[in-house]
Amino acid sequence: MVKYEAIANEIRKRILRGVYPVESLIPDQISLSKEFNVSRMTMKKALDILAMEGLIYRQRGSGTYVMKTALLNKQDAVVNEYDGLTKQLKGHEITSKVIQFNVEFPSEEIMEHLMIKKNQPVYNLIRLRIVDGKPYVLEHTHMPTDLATGLTEEIMEHSIYRYIHEELGLQFGGAFRKIHADKPSKYDQEYLDCKSDDPVLEVEQVVYLKDGRPFEYSRSRHRYDTRSYTMADINKNI
Amino acid sequence: MVKYEAIANEIRKRILRGVYPVESLIPDQISLSKEFNVSRMTMKKALDILAMEGLIYRQRGSGTYVMKTALLNKQDAVVNEYDGLTKQLKGHEITSKVIQFNVEFPSEEIMEHLMIKKNQPVYNLIRLRIVDGKPYVLEHTHMPTDLATGLTEEIMEHSIYRYIHEELGLQFGGAFRKIHADKPSKYDQEYLDCKSDDPVLEVEQVVYLKDGRPFEYSRSRHRYDTRSYTMADINKNI
DNA sequence: AAGTGGTCTAGACCACCAG
DNA sequence: TGGTGGTCTAGACCACTTC
């Protein structure tokens, strides 16, 4: 663990425990760097992290303050969709039903999203994820076979992301997402158990590896009353 | 303009113009710091910006590479909802119809979202935004009267955000958003011109000022076929 | 072993806000 | 005017990849 992370963790703890109360001024960078025995640059880097998290706010010439919003419940603030459901909904019983599992050559659309050529085969799979016994999301996923090598039905019934991460050792770098509302398709009505006038929330995403190679293109469809998508958006002036 | 921003701009330009081609190795930090006559720390800070933007990827021991995704059209990558529509849809004809404009004491829900007491009056307004002659979004907005002072119908027919920013001199610090799909309400059907089975995309948000005071709570409702919400999500290891 | 990026330092100067 | 945070430096050491 590097110093600035350790310091950020300690100060975060103080804020959450109320040692530095909401809306209060915290000690200045010089005092803090003396307390933690680090240089002021390192101290500032620790505070940069907390500022990006929206816990503190700094005003040149004045000081560093704890944000009014610091104690809002942060549990769903940062949704990392590419952590996968299994990690997001820890504590719930998650099962998967594989509805389709093919290998095929990509369509024009898939080629573009995954930045691959037409002779590069892709997995094309459809999974229904079931949380605590209720249908939760219908996922249509495409992945290049040379990146997600060795996928099996067995894996798909549990966590694909765990497999990718821990077995294949690949690291995710980010994602582009598009969220929209849609009318329910036949598939949605059949598997998500929704009526013909129940709207559907679709999250369309391309997930990238750390080196920028597109790894997955997927469309995840939810019944309108079972899922909303939350996000925090901090104006980073770092 | 500080040095590291200027350098980041220059290198971004080189990437977009193909001087540093996609997937290629760019010069190392020492060479670049010599070229720009800055210290290596400053050079690294410039590269940090580009890494956060998803343009480059660094591998310790190996070098700095241009991401495969660097040339994707970035125009809608970063959506700053709190810039307001007027800025987002520059070039389109935007008009507004004020449907409701009241001052009232806040409900429990509004008090919680805006973190205010029950005796603090709020504006409660409903606006229909019309883009190029077509109804685009129906906004239900609540703002504390002591922050958005002096709001008039005249202002609401144009850009509230421009007024807040330029006339009142307030700076936005971030936002929490929740996106969901919904069935159309009577209001939606009347003003957004949608049928009874047309889904609606709702963006519910609390916008904060730089010092963390909640400034606006709003629900923006769009017909499902006129709007999707896109976002880029870079795994920042800075 | 050589070269890369990541961290950290001690000190300097600056812009800004408060009294 | 004194204190705050923001930037920048020159150099050091470390972790890691590549050869």
Side-chain angles (χ1 to χ4, degrees), chain B residues 43 46 53 68 82 100 107 110 114 124 136 171 180 183 187 192 210 214 219 223 231 233:
Chain B
M43 193 60 228
E53 292 174 355
K68 215 172 179 174
Y82 42 84
Q100 181 183 308
S107 67
I110 301 298
L114 293 178
N124 175 3
Y136 183 75
Q171 286 185 298
H180 35 245
K183 295 186 182 185
Y187 259 116
L192 290 177
K210 257 194 138 182
R219 293 182 300 114
R223 227 174 60 189
M231 75 201 75
D233 185 352

Side-chain angles (χ1 to χ4, degrees), chain B residues 75-214:
Chain B
Q75 68 224 17
D76 58 1
V78 177
V79 177
N80 274 314
E81 199 79 2
Y82 42 84
D83 274 350
L85 264 190
T86 315
K87 210 167 162 188
Q88 271 178 59
L89 295 175
K90 221 168 237 178
H92 293 265
E93 189 211 354
I94 301 177
T95 58
S96 299
K97 182 176 170 182
V98 177
I99 294 166
Q100 181 183 308
F101 180 29
N102 292 331
V103 175
E104 59 191 38
F105 289 113
S107 67
E108 283 289 336
E109 190 197 359
I110 301 298
M111 282 166 54
E112 189 171 324
H113 285 305
L114 293 178
M115 292 200 271
I116 54 176
K117 302 235 166 63
K118 63 171 183 268
N119 57 3
Q120 167 58 55
V122 294
Y123 291 119
N124 175 3
L125 58 101
I126 302 178
R127 277 200 305 179
L128 177 67
R129 313 298 302 271
I130 300 158
V131 176
D132 297 332
K134 286 185 187 159
Y136 183 75
V137 57
L138 193 61
E139 299 173 345
H140 304 251
T141 308
H142 293 257
M143 296 185 285
T145 55
D146 65 338
L147 288 182
T149 41
L151 208 55
T152 65
E153 297 228 8
E154 159 71 17
I155 294 167
M156 288 167 41
E157 276 165 10
H158 299 88
S159 173
I160 295 182
Y161 276 67
R162 200 203 56 76
Y163 172 73
I164 301 297
H165 210 200
E166 295 176 19
E167 306 294 325
L168 299 181
L170 297 175
Q171 286 185 298
F172 302 119
F176 281 94
R177 296 205 184 98
K178 198 147 107 187
I179 301 178
H180 35 245
D182 198 2
K183 295 186 182 185
S185 69
K186 295 275 178 215
Y187 259 116
D188 300 329
Q189 292 181 45
E190 178 176 355
Y191 291 107
L192 290 177
D193 189 25
C194 59
K195 304 196 188 80
S196 65
D197 67 337
D198 280 348
V200 163
L201 185 72
E202 180 181 285
V203 179
E204 182 183 359
Q205 69 173 353
V206 180
V207 179
Y208 299 89
L209 296 179
K210 257 194 138 182
D211 63 2
R213 282 181 295 174

